Amino acid sequence: MLGAFGLAGSYIFRIFGITLPAFEIAGGIILALIGLDMLQARRSSTQEVPPDRREGAEKEDVGITPLGIPMLVGPGAISTVMVLIGPKPECRRSYQYFVAIILTSLDLLLCRRVRMVAAHGRTIRT
């Protein structure tokens, strides 16, 4: 997913008529506003609505929801890859980012395997 946005990032910017500096400024403003909300310990109405609060209060275990993928390939990661690769991707620099994405994916697969093995009490055979 990140690789696709990395490759298509310049086209997405062109389609919507967004320049890279404008994208960075808008991201900075959004990040600053989120930071201010966090400093004031206010709950964001865009992330949590009253029905969700009631439903969360009624649930016994809310830890079942898989949170890893949205955190790893969420809007922040997508926009970071698009900004790093930029509007005019250079092969050598882009290559480094794609290698990092692939290595991170392989690391996550290994962690998943280790977690599954540990949960069943078996040893890992190489």
Side-chain angles (χ1 to χ4, degrees):
M1 184 62 88
L2 287 177
F5 275 100
L7 292 173
S10 61
Y11 301 113
I12 294 172
F13 284 144
R14 243 184 275 139
I15 288 171
F16 291 109
I18 301 171
T19 63
L20 192 57
F23 188 72
E24 291 172 342
I25 290 169
I29 291 170
I30 291 170
L31 187 62
L33 292 173
I34 291 171
L36 285 172
D37 281 345
M38 292 174 75
L39 280 174
Q40 297 173 356
R42 289 188 299 194
R43 291 183 178 252
S44 173
S45 60
T46 59
Q47 294 177 350
E48 187 179 56
V49 293
D52 289 342
R53 277 190 218 127
R54 284 192 299 272
E55 184 180 339
E58 294 170 4
K59 287 186 178 181
E60 290 181 29
D61 187 11
V62 295
I64 297 175
T65 310
L67 297 174
I69 298 301
M71 288 173 30
L72 292 171
V73 188
I78 290 170
S79 61
T80 300
V81 168
M82 289 172 62
V83 166
L84 286 175
I85 292 178
K88 297 178 184 173
E90 297 173 14
C91 186
R92 191 177 74 193
R93 191 175 66 172
S94 299
Y95 172 75
Q96 295 170 350
Y97 297 128
F98 288 114
V99 167
I101 291 169
I102 291 168
L103 289 176
T104 302
S105 300
L106 292 174
D107 185 41
L108 291 171
L109 288 173
L110 177 65
C111 288
R112 181 174 181 219
R113 171 86 171 129
V114 168
R115 183 187 61 83
M116 290 174 68
V117 168
H120 295 294
R122 296 183 300 192
T123 59
I124 299 175
R125 295 185 188 140
T126 56

